[in-house]
Amino acid sequence: MILIFLGPPGAGKGTQARHISEAKNIVQLSTGDMLRGAVSKETKAGKEVKTAMDKGALVADAIVVGVIAERIADPDCANGFILDGFPRTLAQAEALDHMLEARGRSLDAVIEIRVEEKELVKRIAGRFSCGTCQANYHDIFNKPQKEGICDKCGGHTFIRRQDDKMETVKARFEAYRLQTAPLLPYYEKRGVLRTVDGMQSVEEVAGAIAEALKTI
Ligand code: AP5
């Protein structure tokens, strides 16, 4: 199965992609995580990526397309994969079409998670993760059971994303509106778009996605 998760920053793409990845045993490919990995290695390309991410702008298509093209050739993607945060521009969507065609594969569904902007701000402002195992938490919606201790690995260090500062988040919303939202009609025309109401609890959104996947 090949799925795309589309939605604005904070909509829950990563949360839901992780859930389906575990339930269906298919790989989750998050371009955000891959790019943050490149930044942490402090390579020349990583520095270019960091400049864009720190501003809340999209990273150049050529870089992101290259990263995905290389990754989907790995053996663990043979069974299918979930694209979380890719494509984000029409050029990336067209590049993905070519990559899949060249491999004789096709897209099964594009899941749009729709959430109002006020709610997105709340979700992003409270988000943090374990510095050791990357488990995700939220100040209000998903706190560790014991304050200051990671439920999963017992770690004591937590981190907040650099690009979750409100001025950067506004730029990320703008990038979504201008560059990514045009992908919705692109996929709707092909009959692969499924939109779910992301204003519900994590479990309810997961249920809505499971229902949507029954229609493909
Ligand atoms: P990326 O890392 O992809 O960030 P994003 O798209 O802005 O999305 P987020 O990770 O912020 O949110 P999400 O939708 O995954 O929500 P989450 O599940 O975490 O990209 C970062 C940057 O990398 C971009 O700005 C760009 O610079 C670059 N980049 C990445 N891909 C690129 C590409 N293809 N091309 C060019 N540049 C690219 O949930 C958010 C919070 O809400 C969490 O705390 C979660 O616990 C909570 N939550 C989730 N669902 C619910 C719910 N239903 N109810 C209550 N809380 C919830």
Side-chain angles (χ1 to χ4, degrees):
M1 184 184 277
I2 299 178
L3 298 178
I4 291 175
F5 276 84
L6 258 184
K13 303 180 295 293
T15 303
Q16 298 298 336
R18 266 190 299 281
H19 177 78
I20 300 210
S21 162
E22 283 162 22
K24 297 206 179 282
N25 196 25
I26 46 176
V27 192
Q28 172 195 5
L29 305 180
S30 157
T31 41
D33 287 347
M34 291 173 186
L35 294 170
R36 280 183 285 279
V39 169
S40 69
K41 286 186 192 135
E42 295 184 352
T43 58
K44 199 177 159 215
K47 282 180 191 148
E48 191 184 328
V49 167
K50 182 173 167 22
T51 306
M53 288 178 94
D54 284 353
K55 285 193 289 201
L58 294 187
V59 172
D61 288 335
I63 295 181
V64 190
V65 167
V67 166
I68 286 291
E70 205 173 298
R71 184 65 183 87
I72 66 172
D74 287 342
D76 62 347
C77 290
N79 204 19
F81 44 87
I82 305 166
L83 293 164
D84 158 15
F86 180 91
R88 260 169 147 110
T89 63
L90 279 169
Q92 291 179 19
E94 284 163 5
L96 176 66
D97 289 343
H98 292 134
M99 281 180 229
L100 295 181
E101 206 180 299
R103 298 180 165 273
R105 315 277 305 258
S106 63
L107 195 56
D108 291 286
V110 177
I111 307 288
E112 179 204 3
I113 307 181
R114 201 174 278 177
V115 179
E116 288 164 20
E117 200 163 301
K118 248 170 105 180
E119 173 70 14
L120 295 172
V121 169
K122 268 198 255 168
R123 290 185 188 178
I124 293 174
R127 170 168 60 182
F128 63 100
S129 62
C130 172
T132 312
C133 73
Q134 283 78 50
N136 285 288
Y137 296 100
H138 191 279
D139 291 328
I140 300 164
F141 307 120
N142 180 23
K143 295 184 199 174
Q145 283 171 6
K146 281 192 196 153
E147 202 186 323
I149 303 175
C150 175
D151 297 345
K152 294 209 172 137
C153 75
H156 289 80
T157 336
F158 294 92
I159 46 174
R160 290 185 190 258
R161 270 170 51 176
Q162 277 289 326
D163 62 347
D164 278 352
K165 291 181 196 136
M166 269 314 123
E167 62 273 22
T168 316
V169 169
K170 282 188 189 145
R172 286 162 61 198
F173 286 160
E174 190 67 359
Y176 180 78
R177 270 192 294 271
L178 295 177
Q179 292 167 279
T180 310
L183 296 184
L184 298 169
Y186 179 82
Y187 288 120
E188 190 169 27
K189 269 188 216 139
R190 291 212 212 155
V192 288
L193 183 69
R194 302 287 182 275
T195 298
V196 299
D197 175 10
M199 294 290 289
Q200 318 171 77
S201 69
V202 170
E203 295 71 25
E204 286 166 330
V205 178
I209 293 172
E211 282 304 310
L213 291 180
K214 285 184 191 162
T215 68
I216 63 173

